[in-house]
Amino acid sequence: MLTAVVIQSGDSLRVKLVSGEGEEGHSEDGHSFDPAECAFEPEEANPNECGPGPSPIIPEMKELVWGAGAFIVFALLMRFFLFPRLKKGMDARYNSIREGHENADAARSSARSEVAQYEAAVASAKAEAAKVVDAARATLESERQTKIAEANARINAKREAALRDAEAAKAAVRGQIESAVSDVVTSAVEAATGKRPDSAAVSRAVSDAMSAGVR
Amino acid sequence: MIALEFPPINEILRWKDLFPGFNKIALIAVAAALIGTIIFLLAGSKDHKTAPKGVRNFAESIVEFIENGIVMQTMGRDGLGWTPFLMSLFLFIYLCNVPGIIPFLQMPATARMALPMFLSLLVWVVFIGTGFKHQGLGYLKSSLFPPGVPKALYILVTPIEFISTFLVRPFSLTVRLFANMLAGHILLVTFALLSEALFQAKGNPGLIPVGVLPLFMLIFLTGFEVLVAFLQAYIFTILTAVYIGGAAHPEH
């Protein structure tokens, strides 16, 4: 085995390659060489030194055989046994999950349709109720108008009767007042003139005067 | 003065046989196949009706990663039949890469030429076989004479397409995986040796604290190798999918 000896002197480094001290190979120091200690066979050109061995790039047959065998067995097991078994389980689970999703979607759409039906029924009931309320309101309004008309008619009849009574009372009072005024005028004229005036003429004059005064 | 012993390249790459014809690389390859098998065996034995957790969750994540991240992106729905092969490839390469940072193993099996070369040749055979299966001899025509190219340019394009499709692809797949993992392994060895040498510098005690720097670099590179292990497995697998998809559907 080569040893790289690095010698530092001041700022400079010096590297020297020498054979290992403990080895039995042929070194610069003149140690003896024992081929049995070599990892690789001595080269033919220099039988006193351990060989560097074959190129590290060259594949070794035992590694090739074991590696190829291991991979082929693994790949075949994977292709025909391991992967199908795992994949079957995965597919079964994915299918069950997919079915679950589909069922959930179906349940959701069913629930949505039921909600839509319910909302349509509510809207229909509301419309029906509105119709009933409108009809009731219209009936009520017509009854109200009828009642109001009846009440107005009654009020008008009563008012006319009252007016009639008032006119009658007024006419009666007027007659009495005319008679009293006529008596007073007759007495006054009689006292002033000594003659009794024509009662018809007095009554007509009083009536005319009162009528003119009423206006 | 410090003595930095960097072993010969063969000493950090070649491993003595654990028993005749079976070394550490073979052990890692067999262990990778076994671990992958055990993971999927355990995952397959769990109840598939409940939400996956633990090893089943891990295995299903790999399946979905391969299906959604690789197959659907490169081959589309028609390529889902390739999932087991691509998953085997990805998992096997990843499990062969990761031992590069596992204590006591500390060697990615893909840092040796044998495994990347075998896997690349296998992929090469598979995508060419797929091309002939789907297109018959038309595969050669669609590969060597791409449509839309002026006929005069075929003199240049056809040899280039032949070399790139039939010769360079397996070579580039092999070298990309092998070289990346080998470089990572050598970097880790280098910084580990440098740290050790600096910590044990007897001649100059002032160098001992400096050993912290390569140690930090070693820790950083170890984390980086985790990423590289995944990335190289992913790149190998996605390129395989691209090659197979291209051979099955030349219009892509």
Side-chain angles (χ1 to χ4, degrees), chain A residues 13-188:
Chain A
L13 284 175
R14 200 154 55 86
V15 180
K16 186 181 178 186
L17 294 173
V18 296
S19 297
E21 287 178 5
E23 287 197 356
E24 291 296 314
H26 178 75
S27 71
E28 288 182 351
D29 301 334
H31 285 113
S32 60
F33 172 73
D34 182 6
E37 292 289 316
C38 288
F40 300 101
E41 293 295 319
E43 287 182 330
E44 286 185 9
N46 192 357
N48 294 325
E49 283 189 359
C50 290
S55 165
I57 295 178
I58 294 172
E60 282 195 59
M61 187 52 71
K62 58 190 170 194
E63 293 173 3
L64 193 63
V65 169
W66 279 106
F71 177 75
I72 288 170
V73 170
F74 178 53
L76 288 175
L77 277 174
M78 186 67 85
R79 170 70 184 82
F80 294 107
F81 178 63
L82 300 172
F83 179 73
R85 202 160 70 128
L86 185 74
K87 188 69 178 165
K88 192 178 166 187
M90 287 173 74
D91 288 343
R93 194 175 69 252
Y94 288 161
N95 285 338
S96 76
I97 291 170
R98 198 174 298 120
E99 277 174 18
H101 276 294
E102 286 170 1
N103 290 340
D105 286 341
R108 190 183 295 125
S109 58
S110 164
R112 277 183 184 155
S113 114
E114 283 179 10
V115 167
Q117 282 177 0
Y118 166 76
E119 284 175 349
V122 167
S124 166
K126 278 183 180 171
E128 193 70 25
K131 269 186 198 171
V132 170
V133 168
D134 286 346
R137 193 173 286 143
T139 306
L140 195 64
E141 182 65 19
S142 114
E143 284 181 3
R144 191 173 72 92
Q145 293 297 337
T146 306
K147 294 283 181 191
I148 287 171
E150 284 175 3
N152 284 338
R154 277 198 305 275
I155 289 167
N156 287 336
K158 284 184 180 175
R159 185 188 294 146
E160 284 172 5
L163 281 174
R164 275 196 305 274
D165 290 346
E167 286 296 325
K170 197 160 84 175
V173 168
R174 182 179 173 141
Q176 288 174 2
I177 290 169
E178 278 181 9
S179 170
V181 169
S182 295
D183 289 345
V184 169
V185 169
T186 301
S187 299

Side-chain angles (χ1 to χ4, degrees), chain B:
Chain B
M1 185 181 85
I2 61 168
L4 177 62
E5 283 188 13
F6 195 89
I9 190 76
N10 272 315
E11 196 170 319
I12 61 169
L13 290 180
R14 290 182 182 271
W15 300 90
K16 288 179 181 173
D17 285 355
L18 300 171
F19 55 83
F22 190 85
N23 62 5
K24 189 191 266 190
I25 303 299
L27 174 70
I28 292 170
V30 172
L34 267 178
I35 291 168
T37 305
I38 289 168
I39 287 172
F40 276 79
L41 265 180
L42 288 175
S45 64
K46 303 281 181 189
D47 179 20
H48 65 265
K49 289 174 186 169
T50 56
K53 55 185 180 180
V55 70
R56 184 174 182 96
N57 187 30
F58 177 66
E60 289 193 6
S61 301
I62 296 172
V63 172
E64 290 187 345
F65 169 68
I66 297 293
E67 283 188 344
N68 300 330
I70 293 181
V71 177
M72 293 300 287
Q73 305 293 327
T74 54
M75 294 192 271
R77 187 160 289 280
D78 294 343
L80 284 175
W82 287 100
T83 303
F85 174 68
L86 294 173
M87 196 161 56
S88 310
L89 207 56
F90 173 78
L91 205 57
F92 186 73
I93 294 173
Y94 179 70
L95 290 173
C96 285
N97 288 348
V98 158
I101 50 161
I102 293 176
F104 303 112
L105 287 174
Q106 285 169 322
M107 175 71 199
T110 44
R112 300 285 290 132
M113 183 55 97
L115 266 179
M117 190 186 78
F118 164 72
L119 295 173
S120 302
L121 288 175
L122 181 67
V123 167
W124 183 70
V125 169
V126 165
F127 83 75
I128 289 178
T130 305
F132 280 116
K133 184 184 170 191
H134 281 80
Q135 304 176 51
L137 288 176
Y139 174 58
L140 284 178
K141 188 188 170 194
S142 66
S143 299
L144 301 179
F145 302 94
V149 177
K151 285 186 179 174
L153 280 181
Y154 281 138
I155 298 167
L156 280 174
V157 170
T158 301
I160 291 172
E161 286 294 324
F162 176 76
I163 290 168
S164 70
T165 304
F166 295 104
L167 300 181
V168 171
R169 277 182 180 181
F171 181 74
S172 67
L173 276 179
T174 306
V175 172
R176 186 183 297 109
L177 179 58
F178 164 70
N180 272 290
M181 298 317 296
L182 177 64
H185 180 61
I186 291 174
L187 271 175
L188 293 182
V189 171
T190 304
F191 280 97
L193 287 174
L194 188 57
S195 301
E196 187 191 16
L198 286 170
F199 282 134
Q200 293 180 348
K202 290 172 185 169
N204 191 348
L207 287 176
I208 293 175
V210 182
V212 173
L213 297 177
L215 181 67
F216 280 142
M217 193 65 189
L218 178 65
I219 294 167
F220 168 75
L221 284 174
T222 303
F224 185 65
E225 281 302 306
V226 178
L227 176 69
V228 171
F230 173 82
L231 203 62
Q232 288 306 318
Y234 176 68
I235 289 171
F236 195 101
T237 312
I238 200 166
L239 283 175
T240 302
V242 168
Y243 295 160
I244 294 172
H249 303 290
E251 66 273 16
H252 292 173

